[in-house]
Amino acid sequence: MLRLVPQLARCSRNFTGQKVIRNCVKSLSYTSTRYSDITMTYELTSGEKYTVKAKEGENMLDIAINNDIDIDGFGACEGTLACSTCHLIFKQEDFDKIEDVATDEELDMLDLAFGLTDTSRLGCQVCLTKKLEGVVVKVPEGVNDQR
């Protein structure tokens, strides 16, 4: 349980609204009860690919940080939903597997993102699930930090 306290604090800062906080707590419970690794890949515009393993329930911003993936400007607000620097682009089939729906706050930040697409999400708002095993996310070539 002690491992979850920092995650819960960070998660509760990211969200407003009881329903979303409930989803956050639900996703954190996956981290505490399931320890199987899930593989995902970050693809940079330079062609570099970073394939990493993470726990179910971790968000994609924390996964990049915890695996020391050096993406210029990525996660400038540290996951507080105050910028769009952790913008990721998904393939349509992977985008459709994301369980949590984007909140109005996330959509507002995405409007400021560089290279926005129909399958864009903020990495701090997408938690890894078994459905996303093997997902490849593209990191746009630039960031637009409007903080």
Side-chain angles (χ1 to χ4, degrees):
M1 179 65 179
L2 292 177
R3 292 180 52 196
L4 292 179
V5 173
Q7 289 177 298
L8 183 57
R10 182 171 46 248
C11 194
S12 64
R13 279 193 321 235
N14 293 346
F15 301 115
T16 57
Q18 191 173 19
K19 181 179 179 186
V20 177
I21 290 174
R22 214 175 309 126
N23 287 341
C24 181
V25 172
K26 177 183 168 189
S27 71
L28 289 176
S29 69
Y30 288 130
T31 305
S32 66
T33 59
R34 299 180 186 174
Y35 290 98
S36 60
D37 286 333
I38 298 172
T39 302
M40 67 165 295
T41 302
Y42 294 86
E43 183 178 335
L44 307 184
T45 54
S46 64
E48 289 178 271
K49 292 183 180 181
Y50 297 92
T51 300
V52 297
K53 291 188 179 283
K55 303 293 182 209
E56 186 172 8
E58 286 185 275
N59 73 54
M60 294 186 176
L61 169 62
D62 288 343
I63 295 167
I65 292 168
N66 294 341
N67 285 280
D68 297 320
I69 300 174
D70 187 23
I71 304 171
D72 190 38
F74 196 76
C77 76
E78 298 178 352
T80 60
L81 201 54
C83 72
S84 60
T85 60
C86 63
H87 171 215
L88 298 171
I89 301 170
F90 293 81
K91 295 178 190 169
Q92 184 65 54
E93 61 267 18
D94 294 327
F95 184 82
D96 294 339
K97 294 176 187 175
I98 300 172
E99 294 178 359
D100 294 326
V101 177
T103 62
D104 288 340
E105 292 86 356
E106 180 183 359
L107 294 174
D108 288 345
M109 286 294 109
L110 278 170
D111 285 340
L112 304 172
F114 182 84
L116 183 65
T117 71
D118 290 339
T119 59
S120 291
R121 288 293 302 267
L122 296 180
C124 65
Q125 301 301 302
V126 179
C127 291
L128 201 58
T129 63
K130 288 196 182 282
K131 290 181 184 178
L132 292 172
E133 170 68 47
V135 66
V136 176
V137 295
K138 292 188 179 195
V139 179
E141 66 179 293
V143 295
N144 188 9
D145 187 0
Q146 293 292 322
R147 290 178 301 139

